[in-house]
Amino acid sequence: MAKSIDVSDLHIYYGDFLAVEGVNLTVKSRSVTAFIGPSGCGKSTMLRSLNRMHEVIPGARVEGKIVVDGQSLYDPSVDPVAVRRQIGMVFQRPNPFPTMSIYDNVLAGSRLNARRLKRSEADAIVESSLRRANLWSEVKDRLGRPGMGLSGGQQQRLCIARAIAVEPEVLLMDEPCSALDPISTSAIEDLIHELKTEYTIVIVTHNMQQAARVSDDTAFFNLKAAGQPGRLVEFNPTRKMFSTPDEPSTEAYISGRFG
Amino acid sequence: MTTTASSERTERRLEVRPSRRGDRAFARLVGAAALTILFTLVAVFVFLAVQGWAGMTSGSATYAPFTSFVGYIWPLIVSTLLASAIALVVAVPFSVGVALFISHYAPRPFAAALAYVIDLLAAVPSVVFGLWGGRYLATYLQPAHMWLHDHLGFLPIFGEPSPNGRSLFTAGIVLAIMIMPIMTAISREVFMQTPRLHEEAALALGATRWEMVRYAVLPHARSGMVSGMMLGLGRALGETMAVAMVLATTPTVTLDVIGTASPATIAANIALNYKEATPERQSLLIATGLVLFVVTFLVNFAARWVAGRSARRLGS
Ligand SMILES: Nc1ncnc2c1ncn2[C@@H]1O[C@H](COP(=O)(O)OP(=O)(O)OP(=O)(O)O)[C@@H](O)[C@H]1O
Ligand SMILES: [Mg+2]
């Protein structure tokens, strides 16, 4: 069920602009992999290339190879729509559907997957997803209200609920906690712990403690210099990364002397 | 330290005053513009009401071949609404489809070219459409008249088909072609302004392009689309030449939209009769103008209400 992801020699472009260069890494199945690095180094870009969301930007393309459980992701025979149904994503900025109710937002993905849902099934999915995203108690009395009526942090948790409602095999999270208070953050971290027993998770974060707390492996990205493409500086088990990193720049970044 | 800082801040705020004055001047300016529009609207209404009053209350001979104002105006209202309804039924799906194609489906250079051509269509004067519709399009639409009569003849609106294709139906089609460009342009514009964030939200859930359109684009564009339709509808209700030139108008009472004998629309009736009218007939025509004015308002309100209803249902 859970999938591993092999990235080899990946270059990611926006038109002619090379944003990320020469990435090689392996995301293990049933584990949490954290992407860290300074702003603008290409973490979001890298993440989006893992579920083929990168290519929805006009002119954006990738070179190189990503293999998910033996299947090449960018093979011409692979349907990006099918990929995205299996690899869910939470965006850096909350994006609930503005005209849909909270209830319908959570079910948006399940309804796409074509199966007709019974009312009781739908209710169960909504409740369990919202509970796991630590939002249930705040919204259970107003499920019919628009999702846009929530606070920014609540919207983000709604988006997390929407992403996990379809039980994706891989979950990509782009700074999911950047707008959340410590309580919700900790709830999301608990969720990540719980999910990783079944799913593969990749998370982008600017919070070193969070990376240390939740992840098994950490990838540190950096720009070689201003105006240069981002690249993967170091990829190691999180424990090693936060105690004895191979690269001096990793240590500088993690200890806050840099970036 | 803190006191100097705060006094500096007050000073700076005082300096900002002039730009606030500019703000107020601008607010007045746009307020004045809005009032001017309202005033014009009221002035037109007052003119129509004052001048048309005599037309609604004069002797029964004025309304020949009918005998009262209501008898005279009724068929015209029905024709106006029928022609506009036909135009909308044809033009709305068509223009929404074309707009979606341009904004979300067609490859870029082709989309730009298509958008340009459609904008050009909007610049064609309505007399030209009228000429083309009456002389040319009608003959080609004649088989459609036959078909509608044969297959949907049980509906009273599809009675005896016109042998030359000149009918209210053809007039409605010509109107549809005329209002399509503006409706397409407005829909396209709002479709393109769909926030990327919401489109990506749908795509990341594994939506196909059509599903993405349904989840993100159409809900976002809804009120803009309604505005576009209102503009198109307004044009259809008030259009004169295209109808006058396509239709051989007859003062009868009929619901049949594909027959030869149909009453004119209100606007076409005014255009056709204004020249040779006596003073009584003149004020009668002005009174029909007043009715058109009111009908347009009512139709607009009704359409907005219907369109807003489901949005309100979600909101409350
Ligand atoms: N849509 C786009 N078009 C062109 N260039 C882009 C686009 N999005 C990002 N970039 C560029 O790609 C590079 C990497 O951006 P990315 O968003 O991946 O950074 P990031 O590491 O996620 O930063 P942050 O931590 O601030 O979110 C940047 O130089 C950015 O300017
Ligand atoms: Mg980012």
Side-chain angles (χ1 to χ4, degrees):
Chain A
M1 171 130 213
K3 303 207 163 177
S4 62
I5 305 173
D6 279 299
V7 178
S8 45
D9 209 19
L10 191 72
H11 299 262
I12 313 177
Y13 295 84
Y14 290 100
D16 293 333
F17 172 65
L18 177 60
V20 177
E21 178 183 53
V23 174
N24 291 285
L25 59 78
T26 299
V27 174
K28 293 201 287 283
S29 79
R30 288 166 211 248
S31 76
V32 180
T33 302
F35 288 177
I36 60 172
S39 186
C41 67
K43 304 179 296 297
S44 300
T45 305
M46 178 65 214
L47 196 72
R48 289 165 60 95
S49 68
L50 297 181
N51 69 340
R52 296 193 62 169
M53 276 303 289
H54 178 64
E55 68 203 47
V56 308
I57 294 166
R61 66 202 160 84
V62 306
E63 279 169 14
K65 209 169 168 93
I66 298 180
V67 176
V68 178
D69 259 8
Q71 170 71 58
S72 172
L73 200 63
Y74 284 87
D75 193 86
S77 67
V78 170
D79 177 10
V81 168
V83 169
R84 294 178 203 134
R85 286 189 181 182
Q86 287 167 20
I87 306 184
M89 175 155 207
V90 176
F91 289 77
Q92 193 163 352
R93 282 162 62 198
N95 56 358
F97 296 113
T99 53
M100 279 188 203
S101 65
I102 294 170
Y103 189 92
D104 291 334
N105 256 293
V106 177
L107 287 178
S110 319
R111 289 198 172 131
L112 282 180
N113 290 324
R115 204 158 52 86
R116 277 241 159 264
L117 288 170
K118 276 203 238 73
R119 178 78 198 189
S120 58
E121 270 180 308
D123 287 347
I125 293 177
V126 169
E127 179 170 350
S128 75
S129 309
L130 285 172
R131 272 191 198 285
R132 286 156 99 189
N134 195 37
L135 188 60
W136 175 251
S137 58
E138 285 155 75
V139 301
K140 65 173 187 291
D141 300 320
R142 45 170 169 157
L143 293 174
R145 305 294 296 274
M148 283 309 262
L150 300 173
S151 79
Q154 289 173 326
Q155 287 182 24
Q156 186 63 304
R157 281 176 281 155
L158 178 59
C159 294
I160 292 171
R162 180 176 68 189
I164 58 179
V166 291
E167 316 238 320
E169 292 166 25
V170 180
L171 187 60
L172 310 174
M173 304 173 108
D174 197 346
E175 297 187 41
C177 302
S178 60
L180 300 188
D181 64 300
I183 299 168
S184 298
T185 299
S186 134
I188 299 305
E189 289 179 10
D190 289 346
L191 170 71
I192 291 171
H193 270 297
E194 179 202 322
L195 289 179
K196 94 175 192 190
T197 56
E198 288 174 65
Y199 308 124
T200 305
I201 294 169
V202 183
I203 179 172
V204 174
T205 177
H206 279 294
N207 179 333
M208 293 308 122
Q209 284 83 19
Q210 182 170 63
R213 277 194 302 267
V214 303
S215 70
D216 302 299
D217 296 302
T218 300
F220 172 54
F221 291 84
N222 202 354
L223 297 165
K224 217 181 288 174
Q228 296 273 316
R231 67 202 170 91
L232 178 63
V233 175
E234 183 173 349
F235 180 60
N236 264 323
T238 302
R239 198 171 307 131
K240 174 167 167 52
M241 201 81 157
F242 280 81
S243 54
T244 52
D246 292 334
E247 299 288 328
S249 65
T250 311
E251 182 173 16
Y253 182 77
I254 288 174
S255 61
R257 282 188 277 115
F258 167 94
Chain B
M1 186 65 196
T2 40
T3 45
T4 40
S6 74
S7 76
E8 256 177 39
R9 212 170 298 142
T10 18
E11 256 172 46
R12 196 162 320 134
R13 204 186 310 143
L14 285 175
E15 279 169 19
V16 175
R17 289 298 282 232
S19 80
R20 273 220 224 139
R21 203 176 298 148
D23 219 35
R24 225 173 290 146
F26 183 70
R28 288 218 189 96
L29 201 68
V30 292
L35 276 182
T36 312
I37 298 271
L38 270 183
F39 179 77
T40 315
L41 208 63
V42 171
V44 170
F45 183 78
V46 169
F47 162 81
L48 290 173
V50 170
Q51 302 270 313
W53 181 248
M56 288 189 222
T57 51
S58 62
S60 60
T62 318
Y63 306 112
F66 301 97
T67 54
S68 71
F69 181 66
V70 173
Y72 181 86
I73 191 78
W74 186 242
L76 298 180
I77 294 181
V78 172
S79 253
T80 306
L81 292 179
L82 279 177
S84 304
I86 293 168
L88 271 195
V89 164
V90 175
V92 166
F94 199 80
S95 56
V96 169
V98 172
L100 264 184
F101 180 73
I102 292 173
S103 66
H104 283 84
Y105 285 84
R108 289 219 167 170
F110 182 60
L114 188 59
Y116 182 70
V117 169
I118 289 173
D119 287 351
L120 276 186
L121 260 188
V124 176
S126 59
V127 241
V128 177
F129 276 115
L131 266 181
W132 173 74
R135 296 277 162 97
Y136 187 80
L137 184 65
T139 15
Y140 281 86
L141 282 180
Q142 211 283 324
H145 288 64
M146 304 292 287
W147 188 91
L148 284 171
H149 177 67
D150 290 346
H151 292 85
L152 298 166
F154 56 88
L155 296 170
I157 55 169
F158 298 126
E160 207 45 50
S162 152
N164 57 8
R166 294 173 66 151
S167 65
L168 202 59
F169 177 74
T170 303
I173 299 289
V174 174
L175 285 180
I177 298 170
M178 290 181 53
I179 64 178
M180 205 257 322
I182 181 85
M183 286 171 32
T184 307
I186 290 176
S187 305
R188 179 193 71 208
E189 218 46 51
V190 286
F191 290 160
M192 299 227 272
Q193 276 160 15
T194 311
R196 265 219 89 75
L197 216 57
H198 298 138
E199 294 182 356
E200 289 193 350
L203 289 175
L205 286 171
T208 60
R209 206 175 321 199
W210 165 237
E211 287 165 334
M212 183 264 278
V213 165
R214 256 178 38 216
Y215 273 48
V217 180
L218 293 181
H220 166 82
R222 188 204 187 95
S223 73
M225 278 157 68
V226 172
S227 293
M229 283 168 211
M230 290 301 102
L231 279 177
L233 179 60
R235 198 169 169 199
L237 285 170
E239 176 48 43
T240 347
M241 292 323 287
V243 179
M245 294 168 80
V246 169
L247 207 57
T249 59
T250 327
T252 54
V253 187
T254 173
L255 278 178
D256 181 8
V257 299
I258 57 175
T260 18
S262 276
T265 64
I266 298 177
N269 182 60
I270 295 175
L272 288 170
N273 296 314
Y274 202 73
K275 271 269 174 63
E276 55 256 270
T278 61
E280 294 82 55
R281 291 288 270 195
Q282 291 249 354
S283 51
L284 170 58
L285 292 179
I286 293 176
T288 64
L290 179 65
V291 172
L292 177 58
F293 194 88
V294 173
V295 166
T296 309
F297 259 83
L298 290 182
V299 169
N300 258 293
F301 277 126
R304 289 232 168 252
W305 184 75
V306 169
R309 205 173 43 166
S310 50
R312 276 195 301 278
R313 203 181 303 138
L314 179 67
S316 58

